[in-house]
Amino acid sequence: MKQDKITTAVIRQRKMEGKTVSMLTAYDYSMARILDQAGVDMLLVGDSLGNVVLGYESTLPVTMEDMIHHAKAVCRGAQRALVVVDMPFMSYQVSRSDAVANAGRLIKETGAQAVKVEGGEEIAETVKAILRAGVPVVAHLGLTPQSVHQLGGFKVQGKDQQTAQKLLDDARALTAAGVFALVLECVPEALARKVTQSLTIPTIGIGAGAGCDGQVLVINDLLGIYSGFTPKFVKAYANLAEQIKDAVQNYIYEVQERQFPGPEHCFSITDTVLEKLY
Ligand code: KIV
């Protein structure tokens, strides 16, 4: 392992030191390299891949093969960041032995350091089984997109006493099971703060307010290159979609006007060679 590679121990330590954790999604080598060089702590090969890269309406169609293919590329680009791979829908829900085998494949075939699973107390035994195989696990509570049909849409979770209490209980159960971090998606800020204060592991929020120990965003949202629905919690730090369109329109114009390629982009051949051609 490289000297300065971020490990699960480093992530846990951040909580003890009151320091934050930054996480971003990545789906390919080039982007992973840029984010890694920028200094992000964790790269998540999220199954949001289904929405932002593969063009599906949800994460449900994403397969193990999709995740492995993209995670391999991300791992090749990540020198320092800890890489977490989402376990796709139905890769850990059917049986515990499937879950362990699939978690193993994600680590073994990609070079990632951890997996992420969605769900609460009901998956605690599955989490333990994956951990027993030596695979670190990140949990994901709140709006869990793989359960979108059960949740009745992409909505804020934990707003009433019963669901808020369940979320807190789930967070405790998953911590006891041994996860090293917990993603909290789309939950009220005060609830996320309470969960964060109740746990010994770092919480990583997305739409869960500033009280979490860390934050995660989908990179396409952060860069402004996803044209689908953008939730309230997204902050776009750039508008790359517009910059990309401008660049491409410039290219099309220069091709039409025969301005590109210029002499500086061309290769030469001697006149002697040319003259001998017939
Ligand atoms: O798939 C994903 O990108 C995620 C983040 C939203 C946390 O799970």
Side-chain angles (χ1 to χ4, degrees), residues 173-190:
L174 291 160
T175 306
V179 303
F180 74 94
L182 169 66
V183 168
L184 287 175
E185 179 165 356
C186 235
V187 300
E189 180 167 28

Side-chain angles (χ1 to χ4, degrees), residues 3 86 99 101 103 108 137 151 162 165 179 197 227 277:
Q3 202 65 45
D86 260 340
K108 196 169 174 171
V137 181
L151 298 175
Q162 196 193 351
Q165 186 62 53
V179 303
Q197 286 163 356
S227 55
L277 298 178

Side-chain angles (χ1 to χ4, degrees), residues 25 27 44 46-48 86 116 118 140 183 185 206 216 218:
T25 67
Y27 315 100
L44 171 65
D47 60 357
S48 51
D86 260 340
K116 176 164 81 58
E118 297 181 6
H140 184 158
V183 168
E185 179 165 356
I206 174 161
V216 55
V218 169

Side-chain angles (χ1 to χ4, degrees), residues 19-277:
K19 291 185 180 158
T20 58
V21 175
S22 58
M23 186 192 229
L24 284 170
T25 67
Y27 315 100
D28 67 49
Y29 168 78
S30 303
M31 187 62 78
R33 228 171 111 84
I34 297 170
L35 305 184
D36 190 71
Q37 286 170 1
V40 74
D41 297 316
M42 294 169 86
L43 288 174
L44 171 65
V45 188
D47 60 357
S48 51
L49 164 76
N51 306 90
V52 301
V53 178
L54 303 178
Y56 296 132
E57 282 189 1
S58 75
T59 59
L60 303 184
V62 175
T63 64
M64 279 290 293
E65 272 56 43
D66 292 333
M67 296 309 298
I68 289 171
H69 182 71
H70 287 269
K72 275 180 170 173
V74 168
C75 288
R76 286 192 284 266
Q79 294 287 305
R80 173 182 171 275
L82 186 149
V83 179
V84 181
V85 187
D86 260 340
M87 294 197 69
F89 182 54
M90 285 298 130
S91 69
Y92 58 100
Q93 291 91 340
V94 179
S95 73
R96 235 165 261 161
S97 66
D98 265 11
V100 175
N102 285 325
R105 275 194 74 195
L106 290 172
I107 300 300
K108 196 169 174 171
E109 295 180 34
T110 71
Q113 287 78 48
V115 298
K116 176 164 81 58
V117 287
E118 297 181 6
E121 209 250 318
E122 68 283 359
I123 61 158
E125 288 306 317
T126 302
V127 165
K128 284 188 200 165
I130 297 172
L131 288 167
R132 275 197 297 276
V135 177
V137 181
V138 176
H140 184 158
L141 288 174
L143 172 50
T144 45
Q146 291 179 12
S147 311
V148 60
H149 298 311
Q150 197 177 33
L151 298 175
F154 297 98
K155 303 179 194 158
V156 180
Q157 301 296 309
K159 279 178 82 104
D160 58 59
Q161 171 140 23
Q162 196 193 351
T163 55
Q165 186 62 53
K166 168 147 174 50
L167 195 133
L168 186 54
D169 293 345
D170 282 344
R172 288 179 176 138
L174 291 160
T175 306
V179 303
F180 74 94
L182 169 66
V183 168
L184 287 175
E185 179 165 356
C186 235
V187 300
E189 180 167 28
L191 174 60
R193 197 179 289 277
K194 167 115 186 128
V195 172
T196 301
Q197 286 163 356
S198 314
L199 301 184
T200 50
I201 56 160
T203 57
I204 304 176
I206 174 161
C212 294
D213 298 300
Q215 297 294 326
V216 55
L217 278 178
V218 169
I219 189 62
N220 298 49
D221 291 338
L222 179 150
L223 295 176
I225 43 174
Y226 181 55
S227 55
F229 169 73
T230 305
K232 167 186 163 118
F233 57 74
V234 165
K235 178 169 176 185
Y237 287 79
N239 186 353
L240 289 200
E242 283 313 306
Q243 288 187 31
I244 292 170
K245 274 186 216 158
D246 279 355
V248 171
Q249 280 166 357
N250 243 324
Y251 164 75
I252 295 168
Y253 174 82
E254 290 197 358
V255 169
Q256 282 167 347
E257 298 299 312
R258 296 190 187 280
Q259 290 175 3
F260 175 81
E264 68 277 27
H265 307 116
C266 297
F267 305 102
S268 62
I269 183 173
T270 62
D271 286 346
T272 340
V273 174
L274 263 187
E275 278 156 16
K276 286 193 180 143
L277 298 178

